[in-house]
Amino acid sequence: MTAENQRENVRIACEQIAKVAPGNELVIAHGNGPQVGLLALQGNAFDAANPYPLDVLGAETEGMIGYMIEQELGNLLPFEVPFATILTQVEVDSADPAFRKPTKPIGPVYAKEEAERLAAEKGWNIAPDGDKFRRVVASPRPQRIFEIRPIKWLLEKGSVVICAGGGGIPTMYDGNKLHGVEAVIDKDLCSSLLAEQLNADLLVIATDVDATYIDWGKPTQKSIAEAHPDELDKLGFAAGSMGPKVQAACEFARNTGSTAVIGSLENIEAIVQGKSGTRISLDDSAIRYR
């Protein structure tokens, strides 16, 4: 929630990414949940203004985080390497079932009476969060990345591209007019779609654990080294934690025939070398554990 902490995390990632940059085309996507939450809290503190809509907050965070990634990675790579951060609009479907049952918490917590008042005033959906309440919004599936062509053009010119931050800026058409949507797109599913549309050789989903585990937190826990998507589907990972990452990795592997890896932010070099993380591909019909 601080600029210093955010920059330190970016630096950890960039130190690893810089090691695999030579000889590779790089596209970097990122999350933005804490940053959007912070902007929502800041906006909530200013009583004279209505909160900025989520699509605008998403655009703000894409610029903020992209700036830090460009600077930290640029300090590690040769001066000649160009960088570009792309504000990325992502289309969602108004008929997506997620809009009928919003589940993604966003913004500050409220007492019940305040939450109910805001819901009535602003048309928000609210849900319990501990002994308080929070606003919840839909998390629809990404359908189309509007800026995919300029992303490809930049890659062809040797640029490192930062895009699709936070799952992209959710947008939809009203007739022939495109507009923002009060929703949050899952960043892992959007990254999977992005990697698929770019014909990527490898999708790395970097997180805070070194692999995907079964029986997580139990004495019987084991890390998965390699797996076929069909086998991972049978394990039923939690929707609130590893589930979206596994789903995104499986979809990429199935749709492209290429490999996706889930692993630690600090192990990106080893992941690219095939020495770390959970590798998900169509090459093996079984699961291999470490």
Side-chain angles (χ1 to χ4, degrees):
M1 297 293 277
T2 67
E4 293 78 11
N5 188 55
Q6 180 175 324
R7 186 174 287 275
E8 179 58 30
N9 285 328
V10 168
R11 187 175 295 120
I12 291 169
C14 288
E15 287 172 351
Q16 287 288 308
I17 293 170
K19 295 176 182 178
V20 301
N24 289 308
E25 294 177 316
L26 298 182
V27 182
I28 303 170
H30 57 80
N32 69 346
Q35 291 79 14
V36 167
L38 178 61
L39 290 175
L41 286 168
Q42 291 173 339
N44 190 62
F46 185 39
D47 293 335
N50 288 323
Y52 269 76
L54 288 177
D55 57 310
V56 176
L57 296 184
E60 287 187 55
T61 61
E62 286 191 344
M64 173 173 59
I65 299 170
Y67 157 68
M68 289 190 179
I69 294 173
E70 284 195 29
Q71 194 171 78
E72 293 299 326
L73 192 54
N75 286 334
L76 296 169
L77 295 181
F79 178 79
E80 295 77 17
V81 176
F83 292 85
T85 297
I86 300 292
L87 288 174
T88 313
Q89 299 179 94
V90 176
E91 185 177 13
V92 298
D93 186 351
S94 60
D96 193 300
F99 286 108
R100 296 195 294 271
K101 190 177 180 181
T103 58
K104 187 74 172 180
I106 189 74
V109 296
Y110 303 97
K112 183 178 181 181
E113 295 76 13
E114 177 72 359
E116 290 175 344
R117 181 184 66 80
L118 289 169
E121 286 181 4
K122 303 178 183 299
W124 287 358
N125 292 284
I126 60 170
D129 187 345
D131 61 348
K132 301 289 186 178
F133 285 79
R134 290 180 78 185
R135 180 189 181 192
V136 289
V137 298
S139 184
R141 286 187 61 89
Q143 301 293 322
R144 173 165 51 162
I145 297 170
F146 284 104
E147 286 76 17
I148 195 69
R149 287 184 300 163
I151 291 169
K152 290 180 178 179
W153 297 336
L154 286 162
L155 283 174
E156 290 169 0
K157 294 298 183 180
S159 181
V160 175
V161 183
I162 300 108
C163 59
I169 304 165
T171 57
M172 69 171 59
Y173 278 105
D174 182 3
N176 62 352
K177 298 287 187 181
L178 190 67
H179 62 87
V181 183
E182 289 286 88
V184 174
I185 301 170
D186 183 85
K187 63 184 182 299
D188 298 309
L189 294 179
C190 187
S191 295
S192 178
L193 176 63
L194 173 67
E196 179 183 340
Q197 293 188 349
L198 292 175
N199 298 314
D201 299 309
L202 181 69
L203 169 63
V204 176
I205 300 179
T207 183
D208 57 357
V209 292
D210 63 351
T212 302
Y213 285 75
I214 61 167
D215 296 340
W216 175 254
K218 300 177 182 178
T220 54
Q221 77 174 32
K222 291 191 295 185
S223 65
I224 300 171
E226 298 178 0
H228 190 282
D230 293 348
E231 295 303 312
L232 286 180
D233 285 346
K234 299 173 184 177
L235 297 179
F237 293 92
S241 56
M242 192 57 72
K245 301 182 189 308
V246 171
Q247 180 185 355
C250 289
E251 289 185 4
F252 174 74
R254 285 193 179 102
N255 294 341
T256 66
S258 296
T259 299
V261 189
I262 301 171
S264 171
L265 192 71
E266 299 179 353
N267 294 339
I268 290 175
E269 182 183 21
I271 288 171
V272 173
Q273 293 173 346
K275 299 176 181 178
S276 183
T278 297
R279 303 184 72 81
I280 300 162
S281 73
L282 305 181
D283 295 338
D284 197 336
S285 60
I287 294 181
R288 186 171 65 84
Y289 296 97
R290 284 192 177 87

